[in-house]
Amino acid sequence: MRGRFVAFEGGEGCGKSTQARKLVEALQGAGLTALHTREPGGTPGAEAIRTLLLEPPGAGWGMEAEALLFAAARADHVACHIRPALERGDWVVSDRFLDSSRAYQGAAGRMGDAAIRTLHTIGSRDLLPDLTLVLDVDDATVSRRLGLRDGGASDAIGGRNAAYHQAVNAAFREFAGAEGERFAVISGTGSIDAVHDRVWQAVSPLLDRHRA
Ligand code: TMP
């Protein structure tokens, strides 16, 4: 039986990395083989591309090159890690996937959704998660968490201006509204355990279908 693929999405500091880890632990606790991975990254090649993207050499990348590098990292991640795991019947939980490219490069970066989708068709044969969880957090909470996480220092993309990040967050909400069956928007406000309970509820139908 094919495994299930769950992706966490959201803007900077929304808490998705913590929640991805908690979900993997819960799935493993339920007796499932669940792999925790991230984008950009997840394979040695994609992790090398991650460094190029977040700590760019020289003056940085233009938006087209940036989108292509994300798509290249994803192609390697999908071919070498995600598809083989799903084919073995394992669960895969990824901290970010295609919808980050749609939000950051397609919407906020103005590449357009069609271009990002085309790159995904070429790179990853249109693989989509079974469920995409968007963690939605208010601006004040995000600023506080980011201050705690990296003391205000950011990478090349996290450090873009507020308008860029507002466009990213608006895009995630729009995607979730347009494709209700693939997305669940989870309030990221409250304790880690309270958010995890909401995540677990959203994942439960997938668990039932997996066991059926
Ligand atoms: P992270 O902070 O969640 O590890 O993600 C790294 C950064 O890369 C974050 O600022 C979001 C950005 N990103 C994109 O711009 N496009 C993408 O496709 C992905 C996966 C991440």
Side-chain angles (χ1 to χ4, degrees), residues 5 9 38-43 45-47 49-50 53 66-83 94-105 116-117 119-129:
F5 180 20
E9 298 282 11
R38 69 169 180 180
E39 289 209 343
T43 61
E47 290 289 337
I49 296 175
R50 178 185 179 92
L53 279 160
E66 183 176 296
L68 284 159
L69 284 167
F70 275 113
R74 184 162 302 123
D76 193 57
H77 189 207
V78 166
C80 300
H81 192 59
I82 299 179
R83 275 195 205 278
S94 188
D95 184 345
R96 298 194 182 280
F97 193 66
L98 169 70
D99 296 302
S100 279
S101 285
R102 297 177 65 209
Y104 282 82
Q105 285 71 47
I116 302 300
R117 291 287 196 153
L119 295 183
H120 192 54
T121 304
I122 297 167
S124 302
R125 286 187 286 128
D126 291 321
L127 180 74
L128 289 178

Side-chain angles (χ1 to χ4, degrees), residues 21 26 29 44 56 59 61 74 90 98 114 134 165 170 175 184 202:
R21 182 173 40 75
W61 305 106
R74 184 162 302 123
D90 297 345
L98 169 70
V134 174
H165 290 291
F175 302 158

Side-chain angles (χ1 to χ4, degrees), residues 112-201:
D113 206 43
I116 302 300
R117 291 287 196 153
T118 301
L119 295 183
H120 192 54
T121 304
I122 297 167
S124 302
R125 286 187 286 128
D126 291 321
L127 180 74
L128 289 178
D130 297 294
L131 179 64
T132 301
L133 299 167
V134 174
L135 285 192
D136 201 31
V137 178
D138 61 89
D139 291 345
T141 308
V142 170
S143 313
R144 187 173 45 76
R145 286 184 187 166
L146 286 180
L148 288 177
R149 188 180 78 180
D150 51 28
S154 283
D155 57 56
I157 297 175
R160 288 180 184 157
N161 65 27
Y164 183 90
H165 290 291
Q166 277 158 16
V168 165
N169 288 331
F172 281 128
R173 285 188 208 113
E174 191 190 312
F175 302 158
E179 276 183 84
E181 62 301 339
R182 180 165 74 83
F183 283 89
V185 179
I186 309 278
S187 164
T189 309
S191 70
I192 290 174
D193 286 340
V195 179
H196 171 68
D197 288 345
R198 288 176 212 136
V199 166
W200 189 249
Q201 261 183 18

